[in-house]
Amino acid sequence: MKLLHTLRPQSILYLCFACLTLFFASCGDDNNPVIDDGKPVNKNANVVTTDKAVLRLEFPALKKTGRQQVIVYRVSDHKKYDNDHVNYAVEWDCDKKSQRWSCYQMHLGYTGKYDRVTPNNNKYPQDPNIATEDRYDDVIYRSGFDHGHICPNADRKYSYDANYQTFYMSNMQPQYSKFNGFSDDRKNYGLWARMEIQLRKWVDNLGPKDTIFVCKGGTIDDEKNIIKRIDGKLIVPKYFFTAVLRKYYINGKHKYIALGYWCDQTNSYRTNETIKQHCMSIEKLEQLTGIDFFCNLPDDIEANVEKNYNESSWKWL
């Protein structure tokens, strides 16, 4: 197993899963697996190597084959919401030279003055922690596709650094404008854009101790789930997904509910379709994506929230 780790604002785990040793942290908070009488109750929890961030609830199970790089972006001014200063994280596939997912947390008050921080020369920066041979140059530019933020810059407005980090190419997937954006008069929004807006509406209604855990991405692992490759290189996903876990408090105790979102990417606004039409249980989303979401939950809670999706539990605005 090859491992890289830095102490810069971004910490990196470079994982080639040839051999893994299992460690569990004994802690009772949301970002560590639960231990019961010295025995882990998270049988499918992620492995801890040098960064305990992989045990956070927003993380899915890390891919165990091929060459994967897990990048955890941190900012120094994030202490208010996150003791580990985590902004968001990405799993980068070094062989496909594409990101598999971005995951992050949302709390009440993730607002601020920083919105669409403009990168230098209006160019999307490459993540300096990804080797040149493991990534492509920016082939999205002038390809007919947008630079689709997977962790949206609009979800990270509380600081300059947090917003800037969302512009890394490692957080991008090629998306059609009419899927990812909106019309000039803002009367029509794409299905992906509508889902992101809905997430922010849910966050606005959270309690002070509530959290939404998010994992989002595009399909890169199966040829039938790929539209094309730009210049014969960068994958354009045919489907995009969102896994949402909501933790909320009732009578001093926290509970969890979850939903999955799965939508085919087309170059049209599809105003006759609703977000609800594309929502499902996490269990079904896992079957479609092949990804084990929210694996760091205790097994009994994980099984319950992933199997049960109740539309009435979510406020559709």
Side-chain angles (χ1 to χ4, degrees), residues 92-316:
W92 184 261
D93 190 303
C94 299
D95 297 320
K96 298 179 184 294
K97 301 182 181 181
S98 181
Q99 75 122 265
R100 181 166 287 103
W101 46 255
S102 293
C103 67
Y104 55 98
Q105 296 184 10
M106 291 290 285
H107 305 271
L108 184 67
Y110 262 21
T111 57
K113 62 181 180 180
Y114 300 100
D115 188 19
R116 292 203 67 82
V117 170
T118 305
N120 293 334
N121 301 318
N122 290 318
K123 292 183 178 180
Y124 291 82
Q126 294 285 356
D127 185 335
N129 300 293
I130 298 177
T132 302
E133 61 269 21
D134 291 334
R135 59 171 173 80
Y136 295 119
D137 292 333
D138 186 359
V139 295
I140 300 177
Y141 183 61
R142 291 182 176 175
S143 68
F145 293 92
D146 284 354
H147 291 80
H149 290 69
I150 303 303
C151 175
N153 72 87
D155 287 358
R156 289 297 185 261
K157 296 170 65 174
Y158 61 87
S159 82
Y160 177 94
D161 288 341
N163 199 270
Y164 182 85
Q165 287 177 354
T166 68
F167 283 87
Y168 278 129
M169 287 296 298
S170 54
N171 185 45
M172 301 294 159
Q173 286 283 16
Q175 292 183 323
Y176 289 118
S177 292
K178 291 182 179 180
F179 180 72
N180 172 55
F182 46 83
S183 59
D184 291 340
D185 59 9
R186 298 198 174 225
K187 291 182 178 179
N188 299 312
Y189 284 77
L191 279 167
W192 186 252
R194 278 183 265 161
M195 181 59 190
E196 293 185 329
I197 291 169
Q198 183 64 64
L199 273 172
R200 286 189 284 275
K201 288 180 178 178
W202 285 330
V203 172
D204 289 341
N205 290 302
L206 290 176
K209 295 183 179 180
D210 298 348
T211 305
I212 284 181
F213 305 90
V214 183
C215 183
K216 300 164 61 184
T219 52
I220 66 171
D221 290 317
D222 192 326
E223 286 298 319
K224 72 176 185 295
N225 292 334
I226 293 171
I227 293 176
K228 61 177 287 186
R229 285 174 169 79
I230 300 174
D231 292 345
K233 299 175 180 179
L234 183 64
I235 290 171
V236 179
K238 184 177 181 180
Y239 299 94
F240 280 86
F241 60 85
T242 303
V244 182
L245 176 69
R246 179 170 180 168
K247 181 191 76 173
Y248 61 99
Y249 277 81
I250 293 181
N251 298 325
K253 296 182 179 180
H254 62 257
K255 295 186 178 182
Y256 297 93
I257 56 173
L259 67 77
Y261 177 77
W262 170 267
C263 189
D264 56 320
Q265 175 176 209
T266 62
N267 195 19
S268 59
Y269 290 119
R270 296 155 68 178
T271 55
N272 61 321
E273 298 178 42
T274 66
I275 298 171
K276 287 191 287 186
Q277 289 175 252
H278 297 277
C279 288
M280 60 192 65
S281 69
I282 295 297
E283 185 176 73
K284 184 175 180 181
L285 186 65
E286 289 178 336
Q287 294 170 1
L288 291 168
T289 61
I291 298 173
D292 180 8
F293 297 104
F294 310 127
C295 65
N296 294 319
L297 278 171
D299 290 340
D300 56 342
I301 298 176
E302 180 185 1
N304 181 59
V305 299
E306 291 186 356
K307 182 178 181 180
N308 296 307
Y309 162 58
N310 186 349
E311 183 180 300
S312 65
S313 298
W314 300 85
K315 185 177 182 180
W316 300 94

Side-chain angles (χ1 to χ4, degrees), residues 4-112:
L4 294 178
H5 181 66
T6 72
L7 296 179
R8 288 181 287 183
Q10 308 94 315
S11 61
I12 300 172
L13 301 174
Y14 186 65
L15 304 172
C16 294
F17 291 88
C19 178
L20 293 175
T21 305
L22 187 61
F23 297 94
F24 288 93
S26 180
C27 185
D29 64 32
D30 280 332
N31 294 328
N32 290 279
V34 177
I35 301 295
D36 183 16
D37 296 328
K39 298 179 180 179
V41 294
N42 277 6
K43 294 180 180 179
N44 62 332
N46 281 327
V47 171
V48 178
T49 52
T50 63
D51 196 325
K52 68 177 182 179
V54 298
L55 296 176
R56 295 163 65 92
L57 292 190
E58 65 267 29
F59 269 77
L62 306 181
K63 190 171 173 59
K64 296 179 175 61
T65 57
R67 296 188 306 123
Q68 319 304 325
Q69 184 171 334
V70 176
I71 309 167
V72 180
Y73 297 97
R74 287 184 164 88
V75 290
S76 60
D77 51 358
H78 195 22
K79 183 75 172 179
K80 180 179 178 181
Y81 295 107
D82 196 301
N83 289 333
D84 292 328
H85 302 276
V86 173
N87 188 19
Y88 73 102
V90 165
E91 182 174 78
W92 184 261
D93 190 303
C94 299
D95 297 320
K96 298 179 184 294
K97 301 182 181 181
S98 181
Q99 75 122 265
R100 181 166 287 103
W101 46 255
S102 293
C103 67
Y104 55 98
Q105 296 184 10
M106 291 290 285
H107 305 271
L108 184 67
Y110 262 21
T111 57

